Amino acid sequence: MGTAEQAPTKILYTAVATADGGRDGHVRTDDGALDVDVRVPEAMGGQGGGTNPEQLFASGYAACFQSALFVVARRARADVTGSTVTAAVGIGPNGGGGYGLTVELTISLPSVDSATARELAEAAHQVCPYSNATRGNIEVRLTTA
């Protein structure tokens, strides 16, 4: 369990999803907003043809991080018009019989200078719930472009 500092003091929303069949199955949220086939990627010896947990994690992290970026930019009165966040999630053996993940976030902030971009990215990394959940568990590298 995370530290008390990372734990929410009040739950505002709970997402519920059910998987059937694991990496070669199907996932669906309780409200039906997400309803997709999941497949092992060809690069991992699977058939491909569907999404996978790493793509879903990357999508969620990128969207969440950009929202955190908007929050810190508003506080700093910085212009983040045209910004994007790309999350690359890698998976591989961890040497202990299991698997581990890596994350690289590429943050493009064309409306600010490079020093400001780096400051905003670092600040967003402290605000983002995904960053707080992964801190100390997954290597997360920030790159500003």
Side-chain angles (χ1 to χ4, degrees), residues 60-61 64-66 68 105 123-133 135:
Y61 203 158
C64 189
F65 194 92
Q66 189 172 32
L105 298 176
H125 196 41
Q126 298 307 308
V127 171
C128 177
Y130 277 64
S131 293
N132 289 330
R135 190 169 289 111

Side-chain angles (χ1 to χ4, degrees), residues 7 9 14 21 28-29 43 47 64 70 83 88-90 125 129 137:
T9 57
T14 299
R28 183 179 190 283
T29 56
Q47 69 180 13
C64 189
F70 293 157
S83 68
V89 174
H125 196 41
N137 298 309

Side-chain angles (χ1 to χ4, degrees), residues 33-116:
L34 180 68
D35 191 342
V36 295
D37 289 330
V38 182
R39 298 289 180 260
V40 175
E42 290 181 21
M44 292 177 64
Q47 69 180 13
T51 191
N52 58 66
E54 293 70 37
Q55 288 177 330
L56 295 169
F57 185 66
S59 299
Y61 203 158
C64 189
F65 194 92
Q66 189 172 32
S67 288
L69 188 63
F70 293 157
V71 168
V72 299
R74 187 172 46 252
R75 290 177 187 163
R77 292 184 158 75
D79 181 8
V80 293
T81 303
S83 68
T84 60
V85 176
T86 302
V89 174
I91 183 171
N94 65 9
Y99 288 84
L101 299 174
T102 61
V103 175
E104 181 171 1
L105 298 176
T106 303
I107 302 102
S108 175
L109 295 160
S111 299
V112 298
D113 62 65
S114 61
T116 302

